[in-house]
Amino acid sequence: MTVPLGQMRIADGIHASAARAPQSLAVRCGDRELVYGQLDDRVRRVSRAATRDLQLAVGDRVAILAPNCLEYPEIICGLTDVGAIVATLNPRGNAGEVAASCRDSGARAIFVHGSLEKVARDAVAATTGVKTVERIIVLGPEYERWLTAVDMAGPFALPDFDDTQPFSLVYSSGTTGEPKGILLSHRSRVLTFQAMAAEYGCFGPHDRFYALAPLAHGAGFAFAMAGLFFGGFVEIESKFEPTLLLQRLADGRFNGVFMVPTHFQALFSLPVETLDKYRGHATALRAIISNAAALPQRLKQYIVEYFGPQLLHESYGSTEAGIVSNLRPADQLRTQQSVGRAFAANEIRLLDDAGQVVANGEIGELYSRSPYLFSGYWNKPQATEDCGRAEGWVSAGDLARFDEQGFLYIVDRKKDMVISGGINIYPKEIEIALERHPEVAEASVVGVPDVRWGERLRAFVVLKPQADPSSALAAEILEFCRGQLSSYKAPRELGFLAAIPRNATGKVLKRELRAGGGMAVAVHTYEPEIHKHA
């Protein structure tokens, strides 16, 4: 196999590691594991079979529908080494959603985990009359036969293509209800891996990383693949279990782990005796990385107190922009709700509606520019144009501010901003206030239509296990919130939920909260006497 000089591909690290240390353990999932020599051989087999059997050419699309599994990295690396673009589909999606993504991408083949074969076949059947999926390859015996049948004798040259060629088409699970295909290039990911290795210090050839997040999503794949790119060991977890996580971290086998806030919430909801059993044992850890959604300050304090200082990184970013900023361990508890300073090789600007940079302390739309940016939305040139500005600046639609020390604070999603009586209100600030109440585990605030004000604020909270929902408690929580905020920011309505609706990456689905989402919740209205005639 020959590789054109001067181009970066995401499989390069695996090839290099196999040449350097073929017997070094590369990846494990459940009771299956591969050393680098084996992983490299399987990647190369995927490449040859994709070229000779599937007849894939540079730019052709292929889909993968699978939960976290051992085959995920080899399939993506092998397919993209020959220039194919892999559409990573949400394994929790239904047949209609999978069919829509296959139609949109024009995927010629789909690799599917055995547990999701029916979903894939139903999706393909639903695309009748549309030129799309020609082959379904099921992971397991069928996939293994496909790999072993390929002729590995003789030379095989990878096609020559520029590293700005996309390798991945990530279908956002969508907080707006309109998923889009996000194109990521080889160059952007390889440079992201390099920066991650320098920033987090847990992606070297002798490091061991625990991959919990879904590989189908941009961040989940990046944090798993970075370890493999540099020749380290990566354990892919197929199903998140909080107690198992503590056991894994306590036995000293891992230097780094990536989690989203919902993982931490589940972790610290374990019984106290379970938490105490493993407290202080994760001594091999050098980095705990959080991403995908904001960490509530109280939860952040729990993490630092439980695992110790100098470990936690809270990174902010998006699939489109990559990692934009990082709140490093030394700064975790000396700022409140900050997402840190710019990530390596990243520039950040906060702009007003006229495109002018706002002053420190003022709120503007966050634009970033870096080598990690996406290549655009698949087949959506207008959407691509709408999220960018001249000279390579891109926005994911977040509003933010800087303080005088250069720390960045995400104020809210631009589309989630509520305008009530002509005043801009940012729900995130209210959610932080609500979560300070001792009975509240999580909060989310939305704007709902109001005849008089245009929109009014409605809060939803998840209570801690020992708390009982009641009108009296709702009134207490809302009054508590009112004591921390200006009166126009204080919601007068509150609903109790068993769980905040979220997508597969942990982002809150506020459209479901605005619409009710079929949730049977009683909304409690509370107006102190002083406001009844306001």
Side-chain angles (χ1 to χ4, degrees):
M1 180 182 291
T2 59
V3 179
L5 296 177
Q7 302 296 331
M8 294 183 282
R9 298 180 181 179
I10 62 161
D12 287 350
I14 291 174
H15 299 320
S17 298
R20 181 180 67 247
Q23 295 306 312
S24 179
L25 187 60
V27 60
R28 177 187 296 129
C29 184
D31 58 358
R32 301 169 63 204
E33 62 184 34
L34 297 170
V35 297
Y36 271 96
Q38 294 171 317
L39 177 59
D40 182 64
D41 177 68
R42 291 171 70 87
V43 169
R44 293 172 187 269
R45 287 179 178 275
V46 171
S47 294
R48 292 201 183 201
T51 302
R52 294 173 176 172
D53 179 44
L54 300 182
Q55 298 291 301
L56 294 180
V58 174
D60 283 346
R61 278 80 61 206
V62 181
I64 180 169
L65 179 66
N68 285 4
C69 58
L70 192 76
E71 296 87 352
Y72 216 103
E74 70 191 38
I75 290 172
I76 291 186
C77 289
L79 292 174
T80 60
D81 244 1
V82 295
I85 304 171
V86 182
T88 55
L89 307 184
N90 181 3
R92 296 166 66 180
N94 59 36
E97 292 167 331
V98 171
S101 296
C102 287
R103 279 195 299 268
D104 184 67
S105 66
R108 291 186 51 198
I110 182 169
F111 291 78
V112 59
H113 192 269
S115 64
L116 298 173
E117 182 180 358
K118 184 179 186 306
V119 175
R121 295 195 182 279
D122 288 348
V124 171
T127 62
T128 301
V130 179
K131 185 179 180 181
T132 180
V133 178
E134 302 162 10
R135 285 278 298 275
I136 297 174
I137 298 175
V138 182
L139 304 189
E142 180 183 347
Y143 172 73
E144 295 300 325
R145 288 193 297 271
W146 185 75
L147 284 187
T148 55
V150 66
D151 182 7
M152 296 295 288
F156 176 70
L158 294 177
D160 188 6
F161 58 86
D162 193 87
D163 54 19
T164 57
Q165 161 77 10
F167 86 92
S168 178
L169 181 54
V170 180
Y171 275 91
S172 68
S173 43
T175 58
T176 64
E178 299 179 355
K180 298 188 288 288
I182 303 168
L183 288 165
L184 302 175
S185 73
H186 286 262
R187 174 179 286 271
S188 74
R189 291 304 92 173
V190 170
L191 292 177
T192 297
F193 300 156
Q194 298 281 352
M196 288 167 59
E199 183 77 24
Y200 302 121
C202 59
F203 291 111
H206 302 294
D207 287 322
R208 304 172 302 281
F209 197 81
Y210 195 33
L212 296 169
L215 300 180
H217 300 285
F221 182 76
F223 279 100
M225 190 62 207
L228 294 174
F229 189 86
F230 293 106
F233 166 66
V234 175
E235 180 152 340
I236 298 171
E237 189 58 67
S238 57
K239 185 178 180 182
F240 170 62
E241 296 287 352
T243 304
L244 178 62
L245 167 66
L246 286 181
Q247 292 171 351
R248 289 279 197 272
L249 298 183
D251 66 13
R253 73 177 74 180
F254 297 109
N255 305 129
V257 62
F258 165 58
M259 293 189 274
V260 300
T262 49
H263 289 145
F264 291 111
Q265 295 280 11
L267 186 68
F268 290 108
S269 294
L270 289 171
V272 172
E273 55 269 24
T274 302
L275 290 169
D276 286 345
K277 179 179 177 181
Y278 297 103
R279 186 186 298 270
H281 291 288
T283 54
L285 275 178
R286 289 203 298 275
I288 300 172
I289 306 159
S290 180
N291 185 252
L295 278 175
Q297 190 69 25
R298 185 162 51 188
L299 182 57
K300 188 181 300 186
Q301 290 171 338
Y302 288 161
I303 297 167
V304 173
E305 290 167 4
Y306 186 82
F307 289 104
Q310 305 306 315
L311 291 177
L312 179 62
H313 295 258
E314 184 181 8
S315 295
Y316 159 78
S318 64
T319 308
E320 292 89 339
I323 303 173
V324 174
S325 70
N326 185 36
L327 185 65
R328 297 167 179 91
D331 299 319
Q332 285 295 333
L333 300 185
R334 72 184 189 92
T335 66
Q336 294 283 315
Q337 297 300 144
S338 166
V339 292
R341 295 186 171 104
F343 196 69
N346 218 310
E347 299 174 84
I348 299 172
R349 285 182 180 175
L350 306 183
L351 306 180
D352 62 21
D353 289 340
Q356 300 302 307
V357 175
V358 302
N360 285 345
E362 294 184 5
I363 295 169
E365 185 171 355
L366 192 156
Y367 284 82
S368 65
R369 183 170 65 177
S370 75
Y372 323 128
L373 299 180
F374 78 137
S375 301
Y377 295 113
W378 176 256
N379 283 339
K380 289 182 171 59
Q382 188 59 54
T384 302
E385 184 177 340
D386 289 346
C387 77
R389 287 182 179 267
E391 300 176 337
W393 295 92
V394 164
S395 169
D398 288 321
L399 298 172
R401 65 178 175 84
F402 278 119
D403 67 15
E404 294 298 328
Q405 294 179 294
F407 285 99
L408 182 68
Y409 299 79
I410 305 301
V411 175
D412 221 321
R413 298 285 294 166
K414 190 173 185 178
K415 67 178 182 295
D416 291 338
M417 183 179 71
V418 176
I419 303 176
S420 183
I423 299 174
N424 293 348
I425 302 174
Y426 304 102
K428 185 176 175 65
E429 178 184 8
I430 304 166
E431 292 160 3
I432 292 170
L434 288 165
E435 288 171 352
R436 293 191 183 112
H437 189 281
E439 304 290 353
V440 173
E442 290 186 90
S444 189
V445 175
V446 297
V448 295
D450 186 272
V451 174
R452 180 179 180 186
W453 302 107
E455 288 183 289
R456 66 181 184 276
L457 296 167
R458 178 175 294 170
F460 293 89
V461 299
V462 176
L463 296 176
K464 292 184 177 178
Q466 73 276 9
D468 294 318
S470 66
S471 295
L473 180 56
E476 177 189 319
I477 293 170
L478 290 174
E479 183 63 17
F480 173 84
C481 182
R482 188 177 298 277
Q484 302 177 68
L485 302 168
S486 301
S487 61
Y488 72 90
K489 298 179 181 178
R492 298 181 185 182
E493 299 178 346
L494 183 139
F496 295 111
L497 293 176
I500 300 292
R502 297 177 184 274
N503 67 16
T505 60
K507 292 183 172 61
V508 175
L509 295 171
K510 291 204 171 185
R511 71 176 187 274
E512 293 191 9
L513 293 176
R514 294 187 192 98
M519 297 173 291
V521 297
V523 176
H524 303 271
T525 302
Y526 173 62
E527 297 189 75
E529 195 71 29
I530 190 171
H531 293 289
K532 283 194 174 180
H533 303 290

